[in-house]
Amino acid sequence: MMMQRFVDGVLAVAKESVKTFTYESLNNIVRLINGISALLLAILPGKAIILEGIHGWELRPTFGGPRFPRWMEHGVSSFNRFVHELSVDSEPSSMDYSSGEEEDIDGITPASPSSNCSRVSRASSFTKYERHRTGWIISILSWILFPAKFLLGIPFYIGRLSCTRGSKAPSTCHRPLQLHSSIRRVHTTKDHVVHCATDRRRGVIEDLHLAIEIFIETIFDFFHKAAHFLLSPSEALRMSWRWFSSDKNDTEVIHHDVYDASVHTDTLGENDPSVSERKSTFHHVMNTDARTCQDVITELGYPYEAIRVETSDGYVLLLERIPRRDARKAVYLQHGILDSSMGWVSNGVVGSPAFAAYDQGYDVFLGNFRGLVSREHVNKDISSRRYWKYSINEHGTEDIPAMIEKIHEIKTSELKISQPDVKEEINEAQPYKLCAICHSLGGAAILMYVITCRIEEKPHRLSRLILLSPAGFHDDSTLVFTVAEYLFLVSAPILAYIVPAFYIPTKFFRMLLNKLARDFHNYPAVGGLVQTLMSYVVGGDSSNWVGVLGLPHYNMNDMPGVSFRVAHHLAQMKHTGKFRMFDYGSVRANMEVYGSPEPVDLGEYYRFIDIPVDLVAGRKDKVIRPSMVRKHYRLMKDSGVDVSYNEFEYAHLDFTFSHREELLAYVMSRLLLVEPDPKRQFSQKASKLKKKEQIESS
């Protein structure tokens, strides 16, 4: 007994010493990397302008604890304490293992419309790693003790077989206890989900810490059990007997823990605003941020609706909505390149255009272009090359028309139900007003949509355009974009077949990007260096590129991509200095599509724009410079378009990914210029009075 205690003490001290040494060694390596990054950042030119307005890029890393390792808090390993508490399911606080110090550190990270499942994801990943650790130990011991197990198992199974023939009651008596244990685990998980309000995903460094700790635990646990077998033969025999006599169903419970819990979400503005339950599953071992636009909207208490839209060429688009079904004013928001609808809600309630418009009484629709890695299409077997074979033409003549027609179909049908007097108005004109707010590539696509609708004499359904740094003209740009232009133009015939699109192809590398984005925030000098280098790549634009990489739509399961033809189309626009449609490269191909040997020059058709247009440029924008937005303005002004122009001290991504009250106030003021016709307002009030009289009379 004394020898066993001595061995236990030696192994415990050795284990904690190895943990401390490896943890501090890894921290020192990270400090070295952060220090080298700070040194490089100090000598790079132009960093002051690039990092201006991006807060928190101190040259000192923030760690999850003091110099003393986290697992040595109060002299006990936090990992061991967590495993011990996890095994005791009777206490509801068994999963609350985080120290207050860690909570303070998480407070450094800006709060986002956050995942209610990230803390549980972290806890579930600990549990899963523990199950893997136990499985490895059992597997190793099984191989070592296989001969003994085989010899002792024969008489045991013969005896057990004779017993089970006589009675089956013992096999069923354990079921209620197992179910009760699962229910308790689910209840504990749900409690933690409801109270979690910050993004708790791990970065690569944190994953490395966890993996090293689990590896050390596994090795020392093996030696600990081996020592017990050698020093205490009687205890070894008892453990072997319990191992052989254990019911197979008992082990299955360990490996099939339940992680499903119902999360209460309260939605506002619906017909039935009662609390509803939404199922969430917490088994994601990788612990990445995979929130969707729906998660962000519903977690902030807003209503949500997802609408499936099919284009005429078979692409399946997601049109998302924050619904006000009886509203006669609606707004359609369209993102730019390598973006999604997440950009319009990523700043939370205060700084997001989508929520601001909804709070002003608008029915909000969030459009998503084609171009996801998941390749949503009517033809499930569509090849990658065929799926990515589209240019900006298809964004403006297929995607936007399909989504706006779906909006028109939904609004007219809903207004007919909620306001019966609308039926007469539909015969005269559109019973609602629809404005569009578009950023970057979305601005070029919406202009293409309006002009092509007017040329084909089709209704475009829009009442006003608000274009934030719209694409279209790119001849005034930096040297980086000029080099990219000639690269695409020269190599297009070859690269179009080799590289159909630009995106991260595998789940592993998408997961790695998601986790690295977290590390860039934890280690500021590294993040500042990456931010500066990325800014150089895009011509010196000071947008928060590192922050954008951390958005959930860049996750391991899916992400927006850019087709080669879209990039080639932008290169054509820059080369010609004209805002025109895609050049298919031959007179014959252009004749088939446009009826002319050259693509349609959209700038020459600006006279067809029959609605007000508000153009907004960023003085710090190096991707689409203010001079290019002013080129839109001059052509529209010369064509007689009702157009306005404004500039802000913004970089390219500041229009969507930054908290800019000045911009929100301006956009909302332009939206408020569009109001329903007085006749419709009067009829709407009349219908409400009729309903009130009917209720009072009944």
Side-chain angles (χ1 to χ4, degrees):
M1 197 68 178
M2 292 289 293
M3 179 62 69
Q4 185 174 328
R5 290 181 180 176
F6 175 75
V7 171
D8 288 347
V10 170
L11 288 175
V13 172
K15 179 174 66 174
E16 296 299 336
S17 299
V18 171
K19 283 184 179 181
T20 303
F21 175 77
T22 55
Y23 187 82
E24 287 300 313
S25 298
L26 183 60
N27 275 353
N28 288 332
I29 293 172
V30 172
R31 288 188 183 98
L32 178 63
I33 294 173
N34 197 76
I36 294 173
S37 300
L39 180 63
L40 293 175
L41 189 61
I43 62 177
L44 286 176
K47 64 180 182 301
I49 298 175
I50 293 171
L51 298 179
E52 182 184 5
I54 302 177
H55 303 289
W57 296 119
E58 302 89 356
L59 302 184
R60 181 177 56 83
T62 303
F63 294 102
R67 293 282 301 201
F68 207 55
R70 282 185 296 179
W71 54 69
M72 292 295 291
E73 182 186 4
H74 306 305
V76 182
S77 167
S78 60
F79 184 84
N80 292 336
R81 186 172 72 251
F82 170 71
V83 173
H84 170 71
E85 291 174 351
L86 189 64
S87 63
V88 184
D89 270 337
S90 58
E91 296 182 9
S93 62
S94 60
M95 292 180 68
D96 190 12
Y97 64 94
S98 299
S99 65
E101 181 181 358
E102 287 179 315
E103 294 295 334
D104 292 338
I105 290 164
D106 281 341
I108 296 174
T109 305
S112 59
S114 146
S115 77
N116 279 338
C117 66
S118 45
R119 179 178 296 183
V120 175
S121 177
R122 185 174 182 177
S124 65
S125 62
F126 268 111
T127 318
K128 190 99 177 217
Y129 279 122
E130 171 62 15
R131 294 202 305 271
H132 287 179
R133 183 173 70 89
T134 306
W136 274 105
I137 295 171
I138 292 175
S139 301
I140 294 171
L141 293 177
S142 298
W143 279 102
I144 295 173
L145 301 176
F146 178 75
K149 180 178 180 180
F150 178 75
L151 294 174
L152 295 175
I154 294 175
F156 170 76
Y157 280 114
I158 292 174
R160 187 180 177 192
L161 183 62
S162 62
C163 293
T164 53
R165 284 179 179 175
S167 175
K168 294 185 178 180
S171 65
T172 59
C173 64
H174 298 286
R175 296 289 181 181
L177 293 176
Q178 295 168 6
L179 180 61
H180 181 61
S181 175
S182 299
I183 291 174
R184 283 204 307 265
R185 189 179 298 277
V186 172
H187 178 72
T188 305
T189 299
K190 187 172 74 171
D191 289 343
H192 279 268
V193 171
V194 172
H195 294 291
C196 181
T198 56
D199 177 16
R200 296 294 299 269
R201 62 182 160 140
R202 299 187 304 268
V204 175
I205 303 301
E206 291 172 291
D207 272 347
L208 193 56
H209 281 164
L210 180 62
I212 291 173
E213 189 166 3
I214 290 172
F215 177 75
I216 295 172
E217 285 283 341
T218 304
I219 297 299
F220 277 92
D221 195 41
F222 170 75
F223 284 108
H224 180 264
K225 284 183 169 56
H228 270 246
F229 271 97
L230 294 174
L231 297 175
S232 181
S234 59
E235 180 67 21
L237 289 175
R238 280 198 300 270
M239 289 179 63
S240 301
W241 178 255
R242 285 199 301 267
W243 182 21
F244 292 135
S245 61
S246 62
D247 192 352
K248 185 179 179 181
N249 293 328
D250 294 338
T251 61
E252 289 180 355
V253 176
I254 297 176
H255 296 281
H256 293 86
D257 288 337
V258 180
Y259 291 97
D260 288 337
S262 297
V263 181
H264 292 282
T265 58
D266 198 1
T267 58
L268 307 176
E270 294 181 342
N271 295 329
D272 183 14
S274 59
V275 177
S276 59
E277 288 191 350
R278 179 162 58 89
K279 281 287 185 181
S280 297
T281 303
F282 310 106
H283 62 274
H284 204 233
V285 181
M286 293 295 104
N287 192 244
T288 59
D289 188 0
R291 288 170 292 161
T292 62
C293 192
Q294 175 183 359
D295 295 328
V296 174
I297 293 171
T298 55
E299 285 170 7
L300 292 172
Y302 286 82
Y304 175 85
E305 182 180 345
I307 304 163
R308 187 176 186 267
V309 179
E310 291 184 10
T311 64
S312 60
D313 54 352
Y315 286 79
V316 178
L317 311 177
L318 177 62
L319 178 63
E320 299 177 280
R321 183 186 186 192
I322 310 178
R324 282 191 184 273
R325 306 187 192 284
D326 58 347
R328 290 212 179 197
K329 51 184 182 178
V331 61
Y332 166 71
L333 296 102
Q334 184 56 61
H335 63 78
I337 198 168
L338 279 173
D339 197 3
S340 72
S341 55
M342 180 70 74
W344 302 111
V345 299
S346 60
N347 291 323
V349 176
V350 176
S352 299
F355 297 131
Y358 180 86
D359 293 338
Q360 290 292 328
Y362 285 85
D363 194 354
V364 179
F365 292 88
L366 308 171
N368 286 282
F369 281 143
R370 66 183 70 189
L372 291 174
V373 173
S374 55
R375 300 207 302 263
E376 296 291 333
H377 197 274
V378 173
N379 179 11
K380 300 299 182 182
D381 299 324
I382 189 171
S383 65
S384 176
R385 183 176 298 176
R386 185 179 171 190
Y387 175 85
W388 294 102
K389 195 176 181 180
Y390 64 84
S391 66
I392 304 175
N393 283 19
E394 282 69 30
H395 288 325
T397 61
E398 296 286 349
D399 295 352
I400 292 180
M403 288 187 281
I404 288 185
E405 284 305 311
K406 178 61 73 172
I407 293 172
H408 179 69
E409 175 187 337
I410 291 170
K411 289 302 297 179
T412 51
S413 62
E414 288 179 349
L415 289 175
K416 282 181 183 179
I417 296 172
S418 63
Q419 301 174 19
D421 58 299
V422 169
K423 294 180 181 179
E424 299 178 0
E425 298 178 21
I426 290 177
N427 298 327
E428 300 176 3
Q430 190 171 291
Y432 65 94
K433 296 289 187 179
L434 178 63
C435 300
I437 303 174
C438 305
H439 176 241
S440 190
L441 186 68
I446 201 78
L447 287 173
M448 185 182 296
Y449 163 72
V450 171
I451 292 170
T452 53
C453 282
R454 293 280 289 137
I455 292 174
E456 297 171 3
E457 297 182 350
K458 295 179 181 178
H460 53 67
R461 317 285 185 194
L462 295 169
S463 301
R464 193 178 195 93
L465 297 180
I466 302 173
L467 308 182
L468 310 176
S469 191
F473 294 107
H474 303 277
D475 43 295
D476 180 16
S477 61
T478 60
L479 178 62
V480 174
F481 290 112
T482 303
V483 172
E485 167 203 339
Y486 284 102
L487 178 64
F488 276 105
L489 294 176
V490 172
S491 60
I494 301 173
L495 285 181
Y497 293 97
I498 302 174
V499 186
F502 302 97
Y503 59 90
I504 301 174
T506 63
K507 284 189 175 183
F508 172 78
F509 287 107
R510 291 197 291 270
M511 177 268 293
L512 189 63
L513 174 67
N514 194 278
K515 287 181 171 293
L516 283 174
R518 180 70 171 180
D519 287 326
F520 294 153
H521 286 279
N522 292 342
Y523 307 102
V526 178
L529 179 62
V530 173
Q531 163 72 18
T532 304
L533 295 177
M534 290 186 66
S535 179
Y536 287 165
V537 171
V538 293
D541 188 87
S542 60
S543 301
N544 189 357
W545 300 100
V546 169
V548 169
L549 289 179
L551 285 180
H553 59 205
Y554 295 110
N555 60 71
M556 66 182 298
N557 298 315
D558 209 355
M559 69 167 286
V562 179
S563 76
F564 182 86
R565 278 198 173 185
V566 168
H568 189 200
H569 195 173
L570 291 170
Q572 290 177 357
M573 290 178 181
K574 176 171 169 39
H575 184 70
T576 59
K578 298 179 180 179
F579 178 27
R580 65 179 195 171
M581 303 184 80
F582 185 71
D583 187 351
Y584 290 92
S586 68
V587 174
R588 181 180 178 183
N590 288 334
M591 287 294 295
E592 290 179 0
V593 177
Y594 308 117
S596 64
E598 292 291 328
V600 176
D601 186 350
L602 297 170
E604 295 181 356
Y605 289 89
Y606 272 2
R607 65 182 184 278
F608 281 35
I609 300 175
D610 58 345
I611 54 175
V613 179
D614 300 301
L615 298 172
V616 183
R619 296 189 186 98
K620 298 180 180 179
D621 193 338
K622 305 299 182 182
V623 178
I624 301 175
R625 290 183 169 179
S627 60
M628 297 293 93
V629 183
R630 285 195 294 269
K631 192 171 183 179
H632 283 287
Y633 174 74
R634 286 194 299 270
L635 284 174
M636 290 183 186
K637 200 72 175 176
D638 294 341
S639 301
V641 179
D642 182 5
V643 60
S644 68
Y645 176 81
N646 205 342
E647 286 185 6
F648 294 93
E649 289 290 336
Y650 298 162
H652 190 66
L653 298 183
D654 292 344
F655 291 103
T656 54
F657 294 112
S658 298
H659 293 270
R660 303 288 186 175
E661 295 182 5
E662 183 184 15
L663 176 66
L664 277 181
Y666 175 76
V667 170
M668 291 302 109
S669 68
R670 308 314 290 180
L671 284 180
L672 292 174
L673 295 176
V674 179
E675 290 289 343
D677 294 338
K679 177 182 176 182
R680 290 179 189 154
Q681 288 182 333
F682 177 78
S683 62
Q684 187 175 358
K685 291 180 182 178
S687 64
K688 288 183 179 179
L689 288 173
K690 287 180 181 179
K691 287 182 181 179
K692 187 176 180 181
E693 290 175 358
Q694 291 175 357
I695 294 171
E696 290 176 352
S697 61
S698 61

